[in-house]
Amino acid sequence: MESPANFFLLLATAMLLCKLSLASNKVLVIMGDRYYWQGRYTGNGGNWVDELRRIAGRNLSVSNFAYGGGAACTAYSGMSPSLGQQVSMYMAKLATDPVYRSQLRNRPRQVLIWTGHNDLVALTRMPPSAAPAVLSGIVECIMNSTMSLLRSGEQNVGIMSLAPLDLTPLIRAMPGFPPLVKSAVDGINGALRMANTVVNFTSFGYRSNAACLVYAANQGVG
Ligand SMILES: *[C@@H]1O[C@H](CO)[C@@H](O)[C@H](O)[C@H]1NC(C)=O
Ligand SMILES: *[C@@H]1O[C@H](CO)[C@@H](O)[C@H](O)[C@H]1NC(C)=O
Ligand SMILES: *[C@@H]1O[C@H](CO)[C@@H](O)[C@H](O)[C@H]1NC(C)=O
């Protein structure tokens, strides 16, 4: 991928589905993993959070809880805080840091979650028969964290669908892996879409757009 076109597509989808507008004094709270951009972890491309900051300029404050290597489930997160741990860190900061709280007060905010990619590494250490449980576990971890955020009073939580990891140079270089990884990613994204339909967030008393799934057609990432 030579241009950030796919990133813009992703961002545009996020803005539409999550009613996210850059033309206001918004705070965007990022959770999940720090996904690579143009195949680089950092460097002269930057990752998706860096890009978001650059595009939004001064209109958007980004509060970043995402960690490189972070996974949706604590069991697969290694040394990095998992999504659930990031949610706890965010809540603890809100509860104990008056400066942070005042920065967020009276400003619209949107939590955006992008995770699950690193969890898939676990599949390489297991027999294929274990895969379905791993995949549904990843979806459960993402949905549980989303529910925690909503229960704590968060108004807007966006879950971004996983990127097509099978197209990344890393996976492409592993013979036999691209189709497996593609079906795992498609499986998770399908399940996230279904979970988002089944869990009727409105029935919990939240705004109808309290949670949204950003089903990004970001083909070609990496
Ligand atoms: C930032 O906000 C201003 C004022 O609302 C708007 O004119 C501008 O287009 C916004 N910039 C972006 C990148 O959305
Ligand atoms: C998700 O939440 C349910 C209900 O609290 C809990 O029983 C389950 O263990 C959680 N799952 C994960 C993967 O954390
Ligand atoms: C979701 O729940 C709300 C409130 O209980 C209800 O009005 C609405 O019809 C439900 N939506 C769906 C799609 O079931």
Side-chain angles (χ1 to χ4, degrees):
M1 177 178 115
E2 295 306 322
S3 84
N6 296 305
F7 179 80
F8 285 106
L9 179 61
L10 180 72
L11 185 63
T13 317
M15 288 167 67
L16 270 179
L17 295 186
C18 299
K19 298 183 169 51
L20 175 68
S21 153
L22 298 184
S24 67
N25 194 25
K26 275 232 161 75
V27 182
L28 192 61
V29 182
I30 304 285
M31 295 179 183
D33 54 47
R34 294 193 181 202
Y35 196 61
Y36 300 74
W37 189 75
Q38 292 197 339
R40 284 185 289 268
Y41 188 58
T42 55
N44 53 0
N47 59 30
W48 70 285
V49 179
D50 302 326
E51 272 306 290
L52 194 52
R53 263 203 195 99
R54 192 180 61 73
I55 296 164
R58 282 175 300 159
N59 286 355
L60 196 71
S61 304
V62 175
S63 183
N64 194 356
F65 289 83
Y67 278 81
C73 300
T74 307
Y76 308 133
S77 211
M79 303 290 282
S80 303
S82 64
L83 175 62
Q85 290 164 331
Q86 291 166 24
V87 168
S88 301
M89 288 159 72
Y90 170 59
M91 289 178 183
K93 195 169 171 64
L94 270 178
T96 61
D97 184 340
V99 174
Y100 185 65
R101 204 164 46 239
S102 72
Q103 283 165 352
L104 264 57
R105 188 176 291 141
N106 299 328
R107 294 176 69 184
R109 66 179 186 262
Q110 170 78 52
V111 179
L112 217 43
I113 295 170
W114 200 14
T115 189
H117 307 99
N118 291 318
D119 301 65
L120 292 177
V121 176
L123 289 179
T124 63
R125 300 189 294 258
M126 293 176 185
S129 59
V134 173
L135 298 186
S136 62
I138 294 169
V139 174
E140 196 175 307
C141 291
I142 295 174
M143 294 313 290
N144 276 12
S145 285
T146 302
M147 293 310 297
S148 306
L149 286 162
L150 293 172
R151 288 204 178 95
S152 79
E154 213 58 53
Q155 294 284 308
N156 296 291
V157 182
I159 306 165
M160 302 211 278
S161 60
L162 269 59
L165 291 180
D166 55 298
L167 301 178
T168 60
L170 176 75
I171 301 297
R172 277 178 152 165
M174 297 167 77
F177 265 81
L180 294 178
V181 169
K182 181 174 177 8
S183 72
V185 167
D186 289 350
I188 290 178
N189 285 342
L192 279 176
R193 191 203 287 266
M194 195 178 287
N196 231 51
T197 311
V198 170
V199 178
N200 180 353
F201 293 100
T202 310
S203 67
F204 286 86
Y206 304 107
R207 298 207 324 242
S208 58
N209 67 335
C212 61
L213 177 63
V214 182
Y215 205 86
N218 51 349
Q219 297 295 313
V221 170

